[in-house]
Amino acid sequence: VLSFIIFICYIASVATSFMMAPLLEFLLALFLCFAYASKLNEKFKGLYWPLMDFLRCVTAAIIYFAISIAAVSKYNDGASKAAGVFGFVATIAYAIDFYIIFNNLVTFLKQGSSDSPEGRKSE
């Protein structure tokens, strides 16, 4: 929802060159939501879906931070300022999300590494 709001703000502003990043992020989030809802993650076992979500969150946080700084500092219209502020809020939201996903990935990897030496010992 936040990506869509930022996309609308960039369309209404002078900084229309920044509208592609929120649009792509909105579409990626929509795809992952659809994939989880339709259980595509269970059908395609070759992809590690939490890692894809983690990478999406990391890149979104970095990109939103960069374009928000540019929108707030370079453009003077109200829609650009609003998009920049919403971009900073989105940066914080994505940073919290990738922190939570990172903790889940670390516990998953620790769980996987503790199981593998026991399996080797029994062989």
Side-chain angles (χ1 to χ4, degrees), residues 20-80:
M20 195 58 153
L23 176 64
L24 287 177
E25 187 54 43
F26 173 71
L27 292 176
L28 281 172
L30 199 62
F31 169 73
L32 283 176
C33 183
F34 174 75
Y36 281 120
S38 64
K39 300 199 187 301
L40 282 177
N41 58 338
E42 295 174 3
K43 293 177 185 174
F44 295 106
K45 298 285 185 182
L47 298 173
Y48 189 61
W49 292 85
L51 183 62
M52 289 175 43
D53 197 24
F54 174 75
L55 292 175
R56 182 187 63 87
C57 288
V58 169
T59 55
I62 293 169
I63 290 171
Y64 275 133
F65 186 69
I67 66 172
S68 295
I69 288 175
V72 169
S73 65
K74 189 175 179 183
Y75 299 100
N76 290 328
D77 61 318
S80 295

Side-chain angles (χ1 to χ4, degrees), residues 109-120:
L109 291 175
K110 284 182 182 179
Q111 183 182 26
S113 66
S114 66
D115 290 342
S116 61
E118 294 172 3
R120 290 185 200 142

Side-chain angles (χ1 to χ4, degrees), residues 75-95:
Y75 299 100
N76 290 328
D77 61 318
S80 295
K81 300 286 184 190
V85 170
F86 281 124
F88 287 126
V89 171
T91 300
I92 293 169
Y94 282 116

